[in-house]
Amino acid sequence: MADHDSTTRPLNFIEQIVEADNASGKWGGRVHTRFPPEPNGYLHIGHAKSICLNYGLAKNYGGKFNLRFDDTNPAKEEQEYVDAIKEDVLWLGADFRPNSPHGGGLFLASDYFEQMYSFALELIRKGKAYVCDLSAEEVAARRGKPGIPATSPFRDRPTEESLRLIAEMKDGRHPNGSKSVRARIDLASPNFNLRDPVMYRILHESHHNTGTKWCIYPMYDWAHGFEDSLEGITHSICTLEFEDHRPLYDWFINAVNEGRTPDGSGPYGKIIHHAQQIEFAKFRPTYTVLSKRNLLKMVTDGVVKGWDDPRMPTIRGMRRRGYTPESIRTLMEEVGVTKVESFIDIGRLENAIRNDLNKKAPRRMAVLRPLKVVIENYPDNQVEHFDAQNNPEDPAAGTRKVPFSKVLYIERDDFMENPPKKFFRLAPGTEVRFRWAYFLKCTGVVKNDAGEVVEVRCTYDPATKGGDAPDGRKVKGTIHWVSAAHAIDAEVRLFDRLFTAEEPGKRTGNYMDDLNPNSLEVVHAKLEPSLAGSPGGASYQFERMGYFHVDQDSTPAHLVFNRTVTLKDTWAKVASQG
RNA sequence: UGGCCGAUGGUGUAACGGUAGCACAGCAGAUUUUGGUUCUGUUUGUCCAGGUUCGAAUCCUGGUCGGCCAGCCA
């Protein structure tokens, strides 16, 4: 039976359908889902919901999950995307490979072209499809309106003639757009999808899988139901905008099945499988865009540096930024599955990765915007090594040594010459704890000609070694630091939201108008020496600053970190409220 | 304008004719060598109008608002 990750969560409406089907024996207890992307772009966080949903169903109900490329339009599709999508789906943990527990396999819609073509011939013979000579423009012009039927002068073309013409189309004897194959359904249907939809268009175009074999290519609506049918998909899950298409898929399958029998006797053979389509609402985060067209434009316009720019909502972008598959899966579990179109606060994504990394990421000290501190009463050439906990959430993570000396760097924001009330950090006359080291008291500052503080002077209390005062006195603040002589340099990329509006483009109609000009800030940070040689892909918490991920650009000689997300910052909130 | 779909706190989501619950965010407090984490408490909700019923978020009717559809895209 069901084996849910979170046993307490109530069933979503699709799980309820699956359980009802299992109870009624509709599919013999079988659950077989699929993720059917078109290989014409990179996957984004919206796709992740579909992947998690489909794979999760297969996993929780002991079923199978297929990855299937819906590659019916060679004009838009490329092998590069096929490879990238496979990688991203696997990274998310949805293992479609046949040797994995829930892997149903990898499929290409284009491998079914021959079978689909024979279904098309069957429909023509049954009088349910015909070849139409109208151009795309003419079809559009004759589409009709609500209440006004569409028209086609070729609707009653004799079967034999349609059969001959579709063969000619297939053989490449007709130019692009000169003819199409249409289903004979209902030119007056209030559902425009049923007004004799096009099944095949002529496209003299090379296909990433079938090469130049075909000159006609099936339309999505014609193809999709058969893809599910041929793979034995039980629950064909898609997004809301395809609800209007469901009657069409059903019509196609039923049309093929007309005259077919369960045992295959009769002129047409065996009944083919008819999957149940279920529609759910997309995942739409605030403060970003998701459509391939819009994402592509940001890449080509150079607004971002590529599909894998850490600011992009693509799987690759999020991965590079430091998001984990677990955090994305948990998020999808939390937001649920419904038919209600809604926005997901982007804060939920940030929260999801914080929660995950809080448990896993080793703590380190790194100063993003350095300010020099000199300890007046600390011996000039002395160096001490303090034990620092790697992760307070996980004592088993152990400790490391951090060097301490007379000259340190602290965060610029951790010092204020004229601090407001409730500022618990360093200021003239105040005492704070330098994490894992000593209590330090600020005795003065050094300024440059412009009047800016360039150095903070302090004294330390040797009795507070390790960070505790034997006399029991308390300090309000604890700040991070690095020893100037031991610090290593790193480039740190601080990312912010790509857009400043919840719904980019809502205001002016152009989403580019809402771009956040400050979505990337690069700083040159000082890190504690244990971070030297950090391996690519590692994630750390820089204490008090956030979670940081070693970028693919990073080398031992030039470390590069991406800020995945900041820590929650109560002080920032207080400070901004004045 | 025709068809399809939807509407529950700020956000997301439960309830399947019988006490409107959970999560996130917010707020308040406790703990804390990260203004992090954790813990406790807490503010806030059934689109509207009728009807059925002992009883309606749930069923019915009408309306309002929102989304989708009129590609030889998927």
Side-chain angles (χ1 to χ4, degrees):
Chain A
M1 248 333 256
D3 168 30
H4 288 282
D5 289 340
S6 55
T7 49
T8 52
R9 177 173 65 75
L11 264 29
N12 65 49
F13 83 100
I14 296 180
E15 291 165 331
Q16 290 180 19
I17 291 171
V18 169
E19 295 208 352
D21 289 346
N22 282 348
S24 73
K26 179 172 179 181
W27 307 111
R30 215 161 54 80
V31 175
H32 201 148
T33 58
R34 104 264 98 118
F35 174 61
E38 182 188 18
N40 70 342
Y42 290 89
L43 260 28
H44 56 64
I45 185 70
H47 295 112
K49 179 170 182 180
S50 177
I51 294 165
C52 292
L53 210 204
N54 279 292
Y55 181 77
L57 249 18
K59 179 165 177 274
N60 291 335
Y61 292 99
K64 295 291 181 189
F65 166 79
N66 294 0
L67 174 61
R68 177 176 68 229
F69 288 99
D70 212 326
D71 53 355
T72 57
N73 187 351
K76 295 186 171 180
E77 297 150 8
E78 290 172 31
Q79 185 63 39
E80 174 198 352
Y81 295 127
V82 171
D83 299 335
I85 290 170
K86 275 196 265 189
E87 190 181 299
D88 287 349
V89 171
L90 286 174
W91 179 77
L92 273 171
D95 198 338
F96 52 84
R97 295 172 299 192
N99 59 355
S100 77
H102 304 287
L106 173 69
F107 300 90
L108 259 36
S110 50
D111 284 337
Y112 309 137
F113 283 174
E114 198 68 57
Q115 178 63 257
M116 290 174 190
Y117 182 72
S118 101
F119 285 144
L121 297 180
E122 185 174 330
L123 287 210
I124 294 175
R125 288 196 196 99
K126 286 175 175 171
K128 293 178 181 298
Y130 59 98
V131 171
C132 179
D133 293 356
L134 256 23
S135 70
E137 296 70 35
E138 289 168 322
V139 170
R142 290 164 169 269
R143 181 75 61 191
K145 292 205 158 44
I148 303 170
T151 57
S152 168
F154 301 96
R155 200 162 199 256
D156 297 316
R157 168 118 77 186
T159 299
E160 290 311 315
E161 193 177 321
S162 283
L163 249 14
R164 177 173 57 80
L165 289 171
I166 190 176
E168 290 178 11
M169 289 164 66
K170 177 174 181 265
D171 290 343
R173 312 249 297 270
H174 297 282
N176 284 0
S178 60
K179 288 182 176 6
S180 65
V181 179
R182 292 228 256 164
R184 184 185 277 109
I185 305 181
D186 179 5
L187 289 174
S189 175
N191 181 349
F192 278 61
N193 294 128
L194 300 179
R195 312 250 273 213
D196 286 15
V198 171
M199 294 157 56
Y200 282 96
R201 75 285 219 184
I202 302 172
L203 241 36
H204 292 268
E205 190 106 31
S206 175
H207 187 280
H208 75 98
N209 178 39
T210 60
T212 53
K213 182 179 178 196
W214 293 86
C215 301
I216 58 173
Y217 289 92
M219 297 289 291
Y220 172 88
D221 282 338
W222 163 246
H224 201 83
F226 297 119
E227 296 163 21
D228 287 336
S229 177
L230 265 9
E231 290 171 24
I233 299 302
T234 55
H235 305 268
S236 174
I237 297 164
C238 64
T239 46
L240 253 25
E241 69 267 30
F242 292 103
E243 275 181 311
D244 283 346
H245 298 237
R246 179 159 25 97
L248 179 52
Y249 310 141
D250 291 345
W251 188 91
F252 281 138
I253 298 283
N254 290 336
V256 165
N257 276 336
E258 200 174 295
R260 287 175 177 251
T261 54
D263 61 0
S265 60
Y268 297 113
K270 267 190 169 166
I271 298 266
I272 64 168
H273 174 75
H274 190 162
Q276 176 185 5
Q277 173 168 302
I278 306 167
E279 307 87 8
F280 73 99
K282 283 184 165 128
F283 182 88
R284 281 193 307 174
T286 54
Y287 294 100
T288 191
V289 296
L290 246 35
S291 87
K292 281 174 191 161
R293 206 187 94 253
N294 290 348
L295 293 177
L296 177 66
K297 186 171 164 56
M298 291 198 291
V299 173
T300 54
D301 283 11
V303 167
V304 294
K305 295 186 170 67
W307 286 96
D308 66 345
D309 187 298
R311 292 166 291 179
M312 289 282 270
T314 52
I315 302 299
R316 300 169 101 68
M318 294 176 70
R319 176 183 183 178
R320 185 170 176 185
R321 178 142 168 180
Y323 273 80
T324 59
E326 293 79 11
S327 70
I328 294 173
R329 281 191 241 120
T330 303
L331 173 70
M332 294 306 166
E333 189 74 18
E334 282 170 0
V335 300
V337 180
T338 66
K339 299 189 70 155
V340 185
E341 297 213 43
S342 51
F343 279 101
I344 304 297
D345 189 331
I346 191 122
R348 298 283 293 247
L349 274 75
E350 298 165 357
N351 215 41
I353 189 59
R354 272 190 204 107
N355 286 340
D356 191 34
L357 258 18
N358 177 48
K359 293 188 278 301
K360 300 177 186 168
R363 272 56 171 173
R364 292 293 183 270
M365 291 197 286
V367 175
L368 267 27
R369 297 178 179 85
L371 174 62
K372 191 196 275 187
V373 171
V374 176
I375 308 170
E376 291 168 332
N377 61 338
Y378 197 83
D380 282 352
N381 296 314
Q382 182 171 317
V383 177
E384 289 177 274
H385 293 271
F386 293 108
D387 288 316
Q389 229 184 329
N390 284 327
N391 189 346
E393 300 298 307
D394 177 17
T399 61
R400 66 188 185 285
K401 297 285 188 186
V402 189
F404 181 89
S405 62
K406 185 182 181 78
V407 183
L408 311 171
Y409 291 116
I410 63 166
E411 210 66 56
R412 220 156 240 296
D413 284 351
D414 284 342
F415 175 82
M416 281 184 97
E417 197 177 7
N418 300 297
K421 266 193 162 42
K422 300 238 181 122
F423 184 81
F424 303 149
R425 284 110 98 143
L426 204 58
T430 69
E431 184 176 52
V432 302
R433 172 164 43 232
F434 277 43
R435 191 143 160 96
W436 310 119
Y438 291 105
F439 286 7
L440 270 75
K441 184 179 281 187
C442 173
T443 55
V445 297
V446 177
K447 295 185 182 183
N448 62 13
D449 295 341
E452 297 159 346
V453 175
V454 293
E455 183 179 315
V456 177
R457 310 291 293 188
C458 290
T459 56
Y460 84 114
D461 176 358
T464 60
K465 183 168 179 172
D468 276 312
D471 63 5
R473 81 177 185 278
K474 301 285 183 196
V475 287
K476 290 285 261 185
T478 300
I479 65 175
H480 62 280
W481 50 272
V482 296
S483 166
H486 303 86
I488 57 174
D489 294 298
E491 172 181 336
V492 179
R493 300 171 182 169
L494 306 176
F495 303 108
D496 197 358
R497 295 167 183 179
L498 258 178
F499 295 92
T500 54
E502 279 201 4
E503 224 181 316
K506 175 124 183 158
R507 202 167 38 87
T508 64
N510 178 8
Y511 71 108
M512 289 290 195
D513 292 340
D514 293 315
L515 270 177
N516 176 5
N518 305 313
S519 60
L520 170 63
E521 182 189 359
V522 178
V523 296
H524 299 282
K526 297 289 187 183
L527 317 182
E528 66 166 78
S530 72
L531 251 0
S534 294
S539 279
Y540 300 94
Q541 184 195 105
F542 290 173
E543 295 218 30
R544 304 203 308 131
M545 302 311 289
Y547 295 98
F548 294 79
H549 188 71
V550 181
D551 189 76
Q552 61 195 40
D553 290 347
S554 194
T555 66
H558 181 77
L559 289 172
V560 181
F561 286 85
N562 294 326
R563 182 173 68 194
T564 308
V565 68
T566 60
L567 257 30
K568 278 199 210 162
D569 190 346
T570 311
W571 167 244
K573 198 161 34 180
V574 173
S576 70
Q577 286 166 357

